[in-house]
Amino acid sequence: MTFAAKVPFDISATCPQKQLAPLSIQVVGSSFGYKTTKKLFRRQKLLVTSMCSTSSMTPVQSLEHTSLIQSQSIGLPIMVNGSTGKMGRAVLEAAVSAGLHPLPVSFGGPEDSGKTVQVGGKEIKLHGPSERENILSSVYAEYPNLIVVDYTVPSAVNDNAELYTKVGVPFVMGTTGGDREKLYKTVSNSNVYAVISPQMGKQVVAFLAAMEIMAEQFPGAFSGYRLQVLESHQASKLDTSGTAKAVISCFQKLGVSFELDQIQQIRDPKLQMEKVGVPEEYLAGHAFHMYHLTSPDETVSFEFQHNVCGISIYAEGTVDAVLFLAKKVHSKADKRIYDMIDVLREGNMR
C-alpha cells in the first residue's frame, strides 16, 4: 500500500526548469522491505494528492499587504557577510530585487581583506578579521536600522555572533554549524534581536513545522521503528545538515532510536548523480534528504523526502527573515530570538 503527498511540485522533475525550488514529501507504506536509495529517489509513479488553497484576502487587502511589504523593504540597509560565497551572493541579488539596500562592505577571511566583489550591480569591499569590530561599529552608527546577514563558515559562527551582540546589531544567522548551544546563549545574554535557523527555505521549514507538530502530539508513535537517513549536499558543505538534525530530533521524540553519526552523508559528485539522482547542473548547489522508517517486523515502511536544487529558495527566505526582523526591532518586541517558523507564522512573506 502506498501513500504519497506532494506539495506542490513535480518530483519526477526533481528540479530543473519546472520549478526553481522543488520540494517533495513522500510517505510510503509497503509490504516489502527497504529499497535501494537510487530507486527511492528516482521513483516516478506516485499516487499524488494536490492540495491547493486560495487566498481569503480581498483585492484591497491584497494591495494593502503588498504595499506594507514594499514600504518595509525600500531602503532597508543590510550587510551580508560571506558575500564571496554562493549563498552570500544569492542573498545580495535577492535583496537588491526586493528593494533592500545592501551596504558596500562585508566580512571575509584574512586572504580577502581589501578585495572587492561585484554582486547585483553593486561593488562590495571585503574586510579581514582584524578590521571587523571597527568596521561594524562605524557602519551601525551610520545606519541604525542595519540588519546583518551571516553566510560565512561554521568555524566563524560563534565569533561573529559575539561581535554582533557586542556591537548591538540585529542579525540573521544563515550559517549552519558552530556551537549552537553557545550561539543561543550568547544572544540570549544580550539585548540583540536575531533570527537563527538551520534552514532558510520557507517550504522546507513548513515541513519541519509539521514534523514538530506530529512529534509533540504523537510522542512514541514510531517506537521500535528503524530509521535510515541519507543527505546529499554539494561537496563544499563541510558540516552535517542542520535540517537533517532537526528532522531526526522529531523522529527521536516519536520514539525512534537514532544517533547523528548514523547519517549517510553523500558529498561525492559521482555518487550524487548515480545513487541519489542529483541533476549534474545542480551538483554545486543542492540539498537532497531521505528519511526511511521500517517497522520491527519489516512489514511496514514510511519514507519522507525533500529535494532542493539550487539556492534561490534559501535566498528568498533570508530576505523574508530580514524584513521580519526589521519589523520586530521597530516594534520593540519582547521576544528577541526567532527562527524561520516564527517568520512563517507572521504571514507577511512576499
Side-chain angles (χ1 to χ4, degrees):
M1 182 170 58
T2 301
F3 303 91
K6 189 169 164 177
V7 276
F9 307 103
D10 183 358
I11 189 176
S12 66
T14 9
C15 296
Q17 314 303 327
K18 294 188 178 181
Q19 300 290 341
L20 289 176
L23 165 66
S24 62
I25 306 169
Q26 300 179 55
V27 183
V28 179
S30 66
S31 59
F32 42 86
Y34 179 67
K35 297 184 177 180
T36 65
T37 304
K38 180 176 180 181
K39 289 183 179 178
L40 288 171
F41 275 95
R42 292 184 175 178
R43 182 180 291 115
Q44 301 292 326
K45 296 180 180 179
L46 300 172
L47 296 177
V48 177
T49 301
S50 298
M51 295 175 287
C52 302
S53 63
T54 56
S55 174
S56 60
M57 290 191 295
T58 65
V60 173
Q61 289 175 317
S62 180
L63 182 60
E64 290 176 348
H65 174 80
T66 302
S67 298
L68 174 62
I69 295 297
Q70 290 176 342
S71 66
Q72 287 178 334
S73 66
I74 294 175
L76 178 65
I78 67 168
M79 176 181 180
V80 179
N81 292 327
S83 58
T84 57
K86 292 180 180 179
M87 268 311 307
R89 297 175 73 90
V91 169
L92 284 166
E93 291 171 355
V96 171
S97 297
L100 277 64
H101 176 53
L103 301 185
V105 292
S106 178
F107 294 157
E111 70 284 357
D112 297 321
S113 183
K115 295 181 180 178
T116 60
V117 294
Q118 294 282 343
V119 182
K122 294 184 177 291
E123 186 175 272
I124 312 292
K125 185 176 180 180
L126 304 178
H127 297 272
S130 63
E131 306 171 278
R132 295 185 317 152
E133 185 171 346
N134 288 337
I135 292 295
L136 185 59
S137 297
S138 176
V139 169
Y140 191 38
E142 185 175 355
Y143 298 93
N145 294 328
L146 176 68
I147 302 290
V148 170
V149 175
D150 191 296
Y151 274 107
T152 54
V153 293
S155 60
V157 166
N158 295 108
D159 285 344
N160 286 350
E162 289 176 3
L163 174 63
Y164 304 150
T165 55
K166 180 179 181 180
V167 174
V169 61
F171 66 95
V172 174
M173 179 59 73
T175 311
T176 58
D179 186 331
R180 306 307 278 192
E181 183 177 347
K182 182 179 179 181
L183 170 61
Y184 281 98
K185 185 176 180 180
T186 297
V187 181
S188 63
N189 289 339
S190 73
N191 290 317
V192 168
Y193 289 89
V195 172
I196 302 173
S197 178
Q199 169 60 253
M200 289 294 178
K202 293 174 286 187
Q203 292 78 13
V204 179
V205 172
F207 165 63
L208 288 174
M211 289 294 300
E212 286 284 358
I213 292 171
M214 182 167 66
E216 290 173 4
Q217 295 191 6
F218 309 111
F222 285 94
S223 294
Y225 273 67
R226 184 176 75 255
L227 174 64
Q228 292 170 290
V229 179
L230 181 149
E231 58 99 338
S232 173
H233 290 77
Q234 59 275 9
S236 61
K237 183 171 177 59
L238 304 177
D239 57 323
T240 301
S241 166
T243 302
K245 292 178 181 178
V247 174
I248 290 168
S249 175
C250 292
F251 281 126
Q252 289 171 335
K253 294 175 185 176
L254 287 163
V256 176
S257 178
F258 189 89
E259 300 298 329
L260 294 180
D261 59 9
Q262 294 175 263
I263 298 174
Q264 184 181 0
Q265 294 181 337
I266 307 294
R267 297 292 185 270
D268 179 78
K270 184 178 180 181
L271 288 177
Q272 289 173 338
M273 287 191 294
E274 295 179 355
K275 183 175 182 180
V276 183
V278 179
E280 185 175 3
E281 63 269 33
Y282 289 108
L283 288 175
H286 70 277
F288 278 37
H289 292 240
M290 187 277 289
Y291 311 90
H292 190 91
L293 292 155
T294 307
S295 65
D297 62 1
E298 298 189 349
T299 61
V300 180
S301 68
F302 289 81
E303 179 185 320
F304 298 76
Q305 179 176 322
H306 53 94
N307 300 340
V308 175
C309 294
I311 56 178
S312 62
I313 185 176
Y314 311 120
E316 292 296 332
T318 301
V319 170
D320 281 331
V322 168
L323 295 173
F324 167 89
L325 192 60
K327 179 180 177 181
K328 294 303 178 184
V329 173
H330 179 73
S331 66
K332 298 181 180 179
D334 292 333
K335 184 177 178 179
R336 299 300 177 106
I337 303 178
Y338 300 91
D339 57 26
M340 282 300 289
I341 291 179
D342 294 310
V343 178
L344 283 170
R345 285 175 176 153
E346 193 79 1
N348 290 335
M349 294 179 295
R350 299 161 298 115

